[in-house]
Amino acid sequence: MDCHDVSSIATTTTHNDNDTIARTEIRITETTAQDIITTSTIDNHNDDNDDTKTRSIPFRKWWEFWKTEPSDVDPHTFSTTKKSLILAIIASAGAMAPISSTVYYPALTNVQYELNTTDTAVNASVSLFVFVTAVFPLMWASWSDKNGRRNIYILSFAITVVGTILCALSVNIAMLIVFRGVSAIGASSVQSMGAGTLSDIFDSHERGRAYAWYVLGPIMGPAIGPIIGGFLTEAYGWRSTFYFSACFGFCILLLIIFFLPETFRSKEKAQSVSTEKEETGQEKPEPREERKHKIRFTNPLSPLRFLKLLNVSLAVLYLGILFGVYYLLNTSFAWVFANQYKLDSGIIGACYLPAAVGGMIGGNIGGRLSDAVYNRTVKKATDNQQEKNPEMRISIPILSVSALFLLGVLTGYGWTIKQNVHYSAPMIFSFFGM
């Protein structure tokens, strides 16, 4: 084999190797292109899925008040700002019933004179309001468990605004009594649903402090109401107190419509969302058809079955006595300071202020004590591997001392009035008693 043959063979081999490399490069290029196309297709598909998920969860702008929160969002995961906003709205709404009730107290004698009626009939308008606010929260609570809290809030506040306006337009005591009852029906919803809304968004160890802020509304109501009512009655007449209440209720209604999301989740929905989240790491969006809210009616007296439980019955009895004494004092307060101490409506309203300030301070201290007792008891139960229960928030020593202290304060309040001591004395006792 000469050099020429070797050169030919080498050249041929080189050409063959080049052809093989070229074909290999072509195949690699085709494979790479196919992979790029496949990857692009998958990415586009995933983007479509993400878009679909995004579109399946409605985003509610501030003006789209007819839309509600997706029911697959756990309210406990709301941001701190959102929880604080909800708490502020519920606390303000909780002040509606106390303000509607107490803003009217300084005007009782004026109503009696203008409508030419008796003090018994005027007191009946107060008693009916209190009675309705005691009964109707049961119905609102049972309906909210079926139809959602937001819907019930909107309906109830619409009722109280209309009823309050009609109170201002009353031409006789009978009309006033009837529409005081109607306004109380709407205003009473927060008394049962407010605490439920807080439990929807706050965990157990946070609820005591949240509840302390929530009761500021119901406690501030009896303070602000008489003061505003006294000066309004003196300047514009007793009807202006109802117009003020109607405006306040309408403002709360607007806040609920535009800023309050739906917080209630059924146990079944909460469990399914939790299971889906554990399995996939994501919350599965609920089909749009299942998100439609349908008004469903239920037995409004169904919550009464809880009275069969001893712990519930004792709590209801204790709180019932406290609220009975509370409204008894508030109702008699205006008559005593007007007839015995001869004060005008504006000053009588200001005399309610110590009781409200004392209630605010006491409510805040009580909420913090409640959380401290609960956290300490839960920690002890966890260390001993015992079951946790809601009653761990109760401290019998604290309740006993508080009850005895209240008994002494009420005795002192009654004695100072009977002995016709200067009106600053019963005001001091009211500060510690409320």
Side-chain angles (χ1 to χ4, degrees), residues 23-156:
R23 287 194 297 269
T24 302
E25 290 178 350
I26 292 172
R27 284 197 298 270
I28 291 174
T29 303
E30 291 176 350
T31 303
T32 304
Q34 183 64 32
D35 290 341
I36 293 173
I37 294 172
T38 303
T39 303
S40 177
T41 304
I42 293 173
D43 291 340
N44 290 335
H45 181 67
N46 290 336
D47 291 341
D48 291 341
N49 287 339
D50 292 339
D51 291 342
T52 302
K53 290 181 179 180
T54 303
R55 287 193 301 266
S56 64
I57 301 177
F59 177 75
R60 183 167 70 92
K61 297 181 181 179
W62 69 269
W63 51 269
E64 295 177 321
F65 56 85
W66 59 89
K67 294 183 179 180
T68 58
E69 288 287 325
S71 59
D72 55 339
V73 176
D74 185 2
H76 289 91
T77 63
F78 286 168
S79 65
T80 302
T81 303
K82 191 167 189 175
K83 289 182 179 181
S84 301
L85 177 61
I86 295 173
L87 177 58
I89 293 174
I90 298 303
S92 301
M96 182 64 201
I99 285 181
S100 296
S101 177
T102 59
V103 75
Y104 174 58
Y105 289 164
L108 294 177
T109 54
N110 301 73
V111 172
Q112 178 184 355
Y113 175 78
E114 184 169 333
L115 297 182
N116 192 24
T117 184
T118 63
D119 55 354
T120 302
V122 175
N123 284 336
S125 65
V126 176
S127 301
L128 180 63
F129 191 96
V130 175
F131 176 77
V132 172
T133 54
V135 174
F136 264 82
L138 295 172
M139 304 181 185
W140 291 127
S142 60
W143 290 335
S144 71
D145 288 342
K146 295 294 183 181
N147 305 307
R149 311 214 193 277
R150 174 182 159 84
N151 293 331
I152 301 301
Y153 279 132
I154 293 175
L155 175 62
S156 62

Side-chain angles (χ1 to χ4, degrees), residues 177-231:
I177 291 174
V178 169
F179 287 109
R180 283 286 285 170
V182 173
S183 63
I185 290 174
S188 65
S189 63
V190 190
Q191 292 187 229
S192 59
M193 292 166 49
T197 303
L198 298 187
S199 66
D200 291 341
I201 62 176
F202 288 102
D203 293 321
S204 299
H205 65 279
E206 303 173 312
R207 289 174 190 165
R209 186 171 298 182
Y211 191 79
W213 287 107
Y214 158 68
V215 297
L216 284 182
I219 292 174
M220 281 294 292
I224 298 175
I227 295 174
I228 296 174
F231 288 107

Side-chain angles (χ1 to χ4, degrees), residues 223 333 350-359 427-428 430-432 434:
F333 198 90
C351 289
Y352 281 90
L353 189 58
V357 173
M427 288 173 60
I428 293 174
S430 68
F431 171 82
F432 291 101
M434 296 300 179

Side-chain angles (χ1 to χ4, degrees), residues 9-19:
I9 293 172
T11 303
T12 303
T13 303
T14 302
H15 286 309
N16 291 337
D17 291 342
N18 290 337
D19 292 341

Side-chain angles (χ1 to χ4, degrees), residues 292-426:
K292 294 180 180 179
H293 294 283
K294 296 180 180 179
I295 300 298
R296 292 174 291 177
F297 293 95
T298 186
N299 181 9
L301 300 179
S302 59
L304 291 176
R305 68 181 184 274
F306 293 110
L307 293 177
K308 296 179 181 178
L309 304 175
L310 181 61
N311 55 348
V312 176
S313 299
L314 290 176
V316 169
L317 178 62
Y318 182 73
L319 290 176
I321 294 173
L322 291 181
F323 272 99
V325 173
Y326 173 77
Y327 277 105
L328 178 63
L329 290 178
N330 273 339
T331 306
S332 63
F333 198 90
W335 295 106
V336 170
F337 278 68
N339 298 326
Q340 183 170 326
Y341 293 109
K342 308 300 180 182
L343 301 179
D344 57 39
S345 300
I347 302 300
I348 291 174
C351 289
Y352 281 90
L353 189 58
V357 173
M360 288 171 52
I361 297 173
N364 201 282
I365 294 174
R368 294 177 183 273
L369 281 176
S370 177
D371 274 349
V373 170
Y374 179 79
N375 293 332
R376 185 179 66 248
T377 311
V378 166
K379 184 179 183 301
K380 187 183 297 185
T382 303
D383 294 339
N384 297 330
Q385 296 182 347
Q386 296 176 346
E387 185 180 356
K388 295 181 289 186
N389 56 72
E391 286 76 13
M392 290 180 174
R393 190 178 294 278
I394 298 175
S395 173
I396 299 300
I398 293 178
L399 283 178
S400 301
V401 171
S402 301
L404 292 175
F405 180 76
L406 179 61
L407 179 61
V409 168
L410 293 177
T411 303
Y413 175 85
W415 182 84
T416 54
I417 291 178
K418 184 177 181 181
Q419 299 300 320
N420 201 25
V421 182
H422 189 269
Y423 62 84
S424 61

